[in-house]
Amino acid sequence: MSETQTTTAPRPLLLADGRPAVEAWSLDPALRHLNHGSFGAVPVVAQERQSLLRAEMERSPVVWFPELPRRIAAARADIAGFLRVDSGDLALVPNASAGASTVYASLDHRPGGEIVVTDHGYGAVTMGAERLARRWGGRVRTARVPLDADEEQAYEAVVAEFGDATALVVLDHITSATARRMPVGRIGAEARRRGIPLLVDGAHAPGLIAAPLDGVDCDFWVGNLHKWGCAPRGTAALVARGPLRERLYPLIDSWAAAEPFPDRFDQQGTLDSTGYLAAPAALDLVERMWGWDTARAYMDELAGYGERVVRAAFAERTGDGSEGDGSEGVGSAVDVGMPVPGMRLVRLPDGLGRTRIEADALRDRAPGELGVEAAFTSFGGVGYLRLSAHVYNTPADYEYFAEACVPVLCEWARAARDGDRYGAA
């Protein structure tokens, strides 16, 4: 790796008045926020919009709730425009997992039916698939996709699990733990040819991919707006195309149950739906200030810079793989077969994040002991730092992590390895 590759940093984005982009958010300045991909971050303008809507709801609830379906339909149209899909194909749901649960609850009973997932699947969505398979008296078949698998290898690994009993395929658009894409277009075409329904978990796709459903032939697609879209949490899209969509009903029955899809999702009793209505304010902020294309390019460039800086710091501390030569060292570039813009993986030192529980423990320690919010993940017994950048992040965030956090993580890893040796003795 050249010195230029390591040190060349993108110019931070600014607001129209010259202030740093982070000033449009209410994030704690005492922390470095390097984990946008998990829970997102809602800009102040969307927070204020949601607060005004809640105040309006509380002033006149009898006026508010009868009018709410019409307002949700208008917000749904705005969100559909952002995703570049037809508003008649899109329903709003609380999150991607809720959208998956809606699909699971709506499918016809398939005695003995099998569900194909991958070993990169999001845990909650996979657990829902396992529960559905048990109801059917079938089983879940897990396709093993190596982290470095290219499009052809990933496609072959998933399709190899298809069989006569396959009743549903559940596939990540962008994987959560491993920050890679899956070839959803090719797999969707093959599933369609065989008459197998496909559910795509696109939780990370809205905002990160300009038109996430272009070229994707699937029956159901779910995506979170609170991640890169920065919408209030509890806002996600369920896109359904084809005849199976008429079987989709909200998990809560309400007075619109007799309406067609997606209108019946617009009325959900007394749920607080202000997040849906405030979502366009968040999407519009990014478009007004920088434009989404510029924002995406910046996020990708910054994530790449952060990965190089942090990886070089690990290599310097460990003397392991500093040239990125494809070895398995902590300083080596992680070979992700179908990488994702705006997200990167950095391998952690041996002893850290070997399981999901260990990785979550690192996440929970990091704010108090390292001064950062960060994502630590695990795949195949290896721990990773998952970087996910947004417009409010700057090169200084990753430089801080490299200088202040990497030495501590190396010490934690050494202590964990020592503990393993003592335990084995």
Side-chain angles (χ1 to χ4, degrees):
M1 182 192 310
S2 72
E3 187 68 16
T4 300
Q5 283 180 305
T6 302
T7 58
T8 301
R11 186 187 299 273
L13 294 181
L14 302 175
L15 300 175
D17 59 8
R19 290 179 298 148
V22 72
E23 294 296 320
W25 277 260
S26 58
L27 293 164
D28 185 353
L31 294 172
R32 301 280 181 165
H33 301 273
L34 306 181
N35 184 18
H36 187 88
S38 286
F39 303 106
V42 184
V44 173
V45 65
Q47 294 180 45
E48 292 175 343
R49 176 61 178 155
Q50 186 173 24
S51 294
L52 288 172
L53 289 164
R54 281 178 170 152
E56 181 183 348
M57 174 176 65
E58 297 304 334
R59 280 198 304 271
S60 303
V62 177
V63 173
W64 173 269
F65 285 102
E67 281 290 309
L68 187 56
R70 178 187 60 79
R71 298 176 75 164
I72 290 177
R76 178 159 54 80
D78 289 341
I79 292 168
F82 175 71
L83 295 176
R84 303 182 191 178
V85 299
D86 192 308
S87 63
D89 295 335
L90 185 150
L92 294 176
V93 291
N95 53 43
S97 297
S101 295
T102 299
V103 173
Y104 296 153
S106 300
L107 292 174
D108 288 344
H109 184 66
R110 286 287 302 272
E114 295 182 348
I115 302 174
V116 173
V117 301
T118 79
D119 54 348
H120 296 255
Y122 186 66
V125 173
T126 297
M127 285 188 283
E130 291 169 345
R131 189 168 59 251
L132 176 60
R134 288 195 297 270
R135 290 203 304 268
W136 284 349
R139 64 169 180 152
V140 166
R141 299 179 64 95
T142 302
R144 306 292 174 182
V145 180
L147 181 58
D148 62 354
D150 61 19
E151 178 177 342
E152 181 66 26
Q153 292 166 331
Y155 169 82
E156 293 292 346
V158 174
V159 171
E161 299 298 328
F162 290 6
D164 293 340
T166 306
L168 178 67
V169 178
V170 182
L171 190 65
D172 291 78
H173 205 151
I174 296 172
T175 62
S176 177
T178 51
R180 63 158 290 151
R181 291 180 295 119
M182 289 292 176
V184 292
R186 287 190 63 190
I187 293 171
E190 179 62 16
R192 180 72 69 195
R193 188 183 72 80
R194 300 192 190 200
I196 304 171
L198 171 63
L199 164 61
V200 174
D201 178 3
H204 288 266
L208 205 55
I209 300 176
L213 282 99
D214 279 6
V216 178
D217 185 5
C218 62
D219 299 276
F220 316 104
W221 182 96
V222 292
N224 285 322
L225 275 299
H226 73 261
K227 294 182 183 287
W228 274 266
C230 297
R233 293 165 197 89
T235 306
L238 167 59
V239 178
R241 296 163 170 167
L244 291 180
R245 75 184 199 157
E246 291 308 324
R247 302 180 188 179
L248 293 175
Y249 283 82
L251 295 175
I252 301 172
D253 286 321
S254 193
W255 288 101
E259 297 296 321
F261 178 91
D263 298 351
R264 52 179 167 253
F265 283 78
D266 293 344
Q267 186 170 350
Q268 289 284 276
T270 54
L271 290 183
D272 182 350
S273 299
T274 54
Y276 295 169
L277 306 187
L283 304 177
D284 291 346
L285 170 72
V286 175
E287 181 60 35
R288 282 197 332 271
M289 286 293 171
W290 308 283
W292 272 100
D293 288 342
T294 297
R296 277 187 283 268
Y298 174 76
M299 290 187 281
D300 189 43
E301 186 179 2
L302 182 60
Y305 173 78
E307 182 264 341
R308 293 192 299 273
V309 167
V310 172
R311 180 160 55 83
F314 275 124
E316 183 179 356
R317 298 289 299 190
T318 64
D320 194 0
S322 61
E323 297 304 314
D325 58 4
S327 67
E328 294 299 318
V330 67
S332 302
V334 178
D335 187 359
V336 177
M338 297 179 68
V340 176
M343 300 176 74
R344 298 292 191 278
L345 289 184
V346 176
R347 180 168 175 156
L348 294 172
D350 290 342
L352 293 183
R354 294 164 294 189
T355 67
R356 182 186 63 81
I357 292 174
E358 288 184 7
D360 286 350
L362 290 174
R363 176 202 63 197
D364 296 342
R365 290 182 70 180
E369 298 183 49
L370 300 179
V372 300
E373 291 187 327
F376 298 92
T377 68
S378 176
F379 183 75
V382 177
Y384 297 96
L385 168 70
R386 189 197 71 191
L387 302 177
S388 51
H390 211 279
V391 296
Y392 56 78
N393 288 122
T394 69
D397 292 329
Y398 302 95
E399 293 158 4
Y400 170 88
F401 191 96
E403 295 168 8
C405 303
V406 165
V408 179
L409 288 170
C410 289
E411 289 300 321
W412 289 358
R414 186 175 297 110
R417 293 193 300 271
D418 288 345
D420 289 344
R421 284 195 289 269
Y422 294 147

